[in-house]
Amino acid sequence: MKYVFEDHYPLFKCTASKCPDTCCKGWDIIIDPDTYEQYKYYDTEFGKTVIENIRIDEDSDAVFIQKNGRCPFLNENNLCDIIINEGENALCEVCRQHPRFVEGYGGITEISLSLSCPAVIDILKDKTSLTFYNTKETDEIPEYIIDDPLLPALFKLRQKMFGIIEHNSVNDAVSLIYSLAVRFQELIETDDYSSADSLTPELCEIKEFDYYGVLSSLEILTDEWRRVLNSEENEPGNIDENDILLKNILIYFVYRYIPKAINDGNIISKAEFIIFSLGSVIRYAKRNQSAVSQKEKIAYTARLYSKEIEHDPDNIETIINTI
């Protein structure tokens, strides 16, 4: 198995109780079956408390019963009582992985750090070169192999998009990425990627999105995000298209979503979701009248967007099907 990591992956460190947000607030935390079985066999008083704070939801998943929008084991110091009492090995899979996204592509597993985490955003604020070349080879045998020429072609396409972002303003990069996706879609239709390396994008018009209409139609997780959307009527300010954080956010979205076209052969829908996501961040960062600096406006909006959208596959699917 080959694992691919962002080059800044080793820099990440959870800030725990010092975090301005918490990943244990607002979300329904689904407990994987193996961990749920493990909890059933705890014979300590704390173990009994764990079971008492679990319910089975409408999808037959075991979830922690939230208290005032918080995980019942998130204490007043914003620390996890499960770790304190039972150790990190007692965490369910969701809690162990966060803020990591793990994407499997046959013999390749890509791991990225979520924008929803303030510590991750802090890393990206001033990182001048964002790459994804950190790899690790293991003896693990993958559960399946993707023997489709589309997958390596998508990886090459993504790399070309990284170069476009590096050498262009964000506005031009978005246009060129979309143009490249449209031309690549034609290759997908013919199942012939021999000319993929020679595809040349050009500046093109991007359709207008109804950002507020789409985002406000989704289930809203936090009051913070509701306030962001309610800033729609605020007079927009200016955002520097060459802000390094903005470019890193675009690279992040390209990294995560371009290879997903292997699932349905639709690269245009992935490009449109990337553009919509970046456009949402820019739109509401411009309308943020509370943050002081441009970088803080971008960081705050990107973090909340990721928290509301990226951690809910239904929201992603709804956006793709709507825009």
Side-chain angles (χ1 to χ4, degrees), residues 139-210:
D139 294 332
E140 296 171 81
I141 299 175
E143 294 182 7
Y144 62 96
I145 296 293
I146 298 179
D147 186 20
D148 187 333
L150 174 58
L151 185 61
L154 287 170
F155 288 148
K156 288 184 178 180
L157 174 71
R158 182 175 65 178
Q159 199 62 42
K160 180 174 286 192
M161 289 179 174
F162 290 159
I164 288 172
I165 298 168
E166 181 180 357
H167 296 105
N168 292 274
S169 69
V170 167
N171 190 53
D172 285 352
V174 163
S175 176
L176 292 169
I177 284 172
Y178 184 74
S179 171
L180 194 58
V182 170
R183 297 186 178 189
F184 192 87
Q185 187 68 52
E186 296 172 0
L187 303 186
I188 293 177
E189 302 305 326
T190 62
D191 199 25
D192 180 5
Y193 308 104
S194 57
S195 62
D197 291 341
S198 60
L199 290 179
T200 304
E202 60 184 22
L203 294 175
C204 64
E205 290 290 327
I206 304 296
K207 68 180 182 181
E208 289 290 327
F209 296 115
D210 179 12

Side-chain angles (χ1 to χ4, degrees), residues 49-319:
T49 302
V50 172
I51 289 297
E52 290 171 356
N53 282 277
I54 293 175
R55 67 177 176 86
I56 305 301
D57 69 8
E58 60 276 8
D59 297 319
S60 300
D61 291 320
V63 298
F64 289 123
I65 301 171
Q66 291 197 355
K67 297 182 178 179
N68 298 319
R70 291 165 63 94
C71 172
F73 300 105
L74 179 66
N75 65 32
E76 64 273 12
N77 296 316
N78 280 343
L79 295 174
C80 176
D81 281 335
I82 291 180
I83 294 178
I84 292 170
N85 285 272
E86 301 290 343
E88 289 192 19
N89 290 336
L91 292 176
C92 62
E93 186 176 346
V94 168
C95 295
R96 283 196 305 269
Q97 285 189 352
H98 190 81
R100 300 159 188 85
F101 286 120
V102 181
E103 312 286 353
Y105 299 106
I108 299 173
T109 297
E110 296 194 334
I111 301 176
S112 56
L113 294 166
S114 172
L115 288 180
S116 64
C117 175
V120 174
I121 286 281
D122 283 343
I123 293 173
L124 298 183
K125 283 179 181 176
D126 300 300
K127 185 151 184 54
T128 55
S129 179
L130 188 60
T131 57
F132 305 88
Y133 299 122
N134 282 353
T135 61
K136 181 177 73 173
E137 302 276 354
T138 72
D139 294 332
E140 296 171 81
I141 299 175
E143 294 182 7
Y144 62 96
I145 296 293
I146 298 179
D147 186 20
D148 187 333
L150 174 58
L151 185 61
L154 287 170
F155 288 148
K156 288 184 178 180
L157 174 71
R158 182 175 65 178
Q159 199 62 42
K160 180 174 286 192
M161 289 179 174
F162 290 159
I164 288 172
I165 298 168
E166 181 180 357
H167 296 105
N168 292 274
S169 69
V170 167
N171 190 53
D172 285 352
V174 163
S175 176
L176 292 169
I177 284 172
Y178 184 74
S179 171
L180 194 58
V182 170
R183 297 186 178 189
F184 192 87
Q185 187 68 52
E186 296 172 0
L187 303 186
I188 293 177
E189 302 305 326
T190 62
D191 199 25
D192 180 5
Y193 308 104
S194 57
S195 62
D197 291 341
S198 60
L199 290 179
T200 304
E202 60 184 22
L203 294 175
C204 64
E205 290 290 327
I206 304 296
K207 68 180 182 181
E208 289 290 327
F209 296 115
D210 179 12
Y211 293 102
Y212 179 78
V214 174
L215 294 173
S216 62
S217 71
L218 305 174
E219 180 183 2
I220 296 177
L221 180 67
T222 66
D223 289 336
E224 282 183 294
W225 183 241
R226 193 180 303 278
R227 286 192 291 271
V228 167
L229 295 182
N230 287 342
S231 72
E232 178 72 26
E233 301 303 320
N234 291 352
E235 187 67 26
N238 295 318
I239 294 291
D240 179 9
E241 288 184 19
N242 290 302
D243 187 287
I244 192 64
L245 175 57
L246 207 55
K247 284 197 169 190
N248 285 341
I249 290 170
L250 178 55
I251 290 172
Y252 163 89
F253 284 132
V254 167
Y255 175 71
R256 284 213 62 216
Y257 294 100
I258 287 300
K260 290 181 182 292
I262 190 64
N263 298 321
D264 60 5
N266 190 337
I267 190 68
I268 293 179
S269 69
K270 308 307 175 289
E272 288 180 343
F273 176 75
I274 290 165
I275 294 167
F276 177 89
S277 296
L278 183 74
S280 298
V281 172
I282 293 174
R283 183 178 188 85
Y284 292 105
K286 285 181 175 181
R287 287 162 172 76
N288 186 339
Q289 297 179 346
S290 58
V292 176
S293 70
Q294 168 180 278
K295 213 173 283 289
E296 289 303 323
K297 292 179 180 182
I298 296 171
Y300 179 78
T301 310
R303 177 172 63 80
L304 291 183
Y305 177 88
S306 178
K307 186 171 185 175
E308 293 278 339
I309 306 303
E310 287 198 284
H311 294 270
D312 188 336
D314 290 340
N315 280 346
I316 294 175
E317 183 178 359
T318 298
I319 291 174

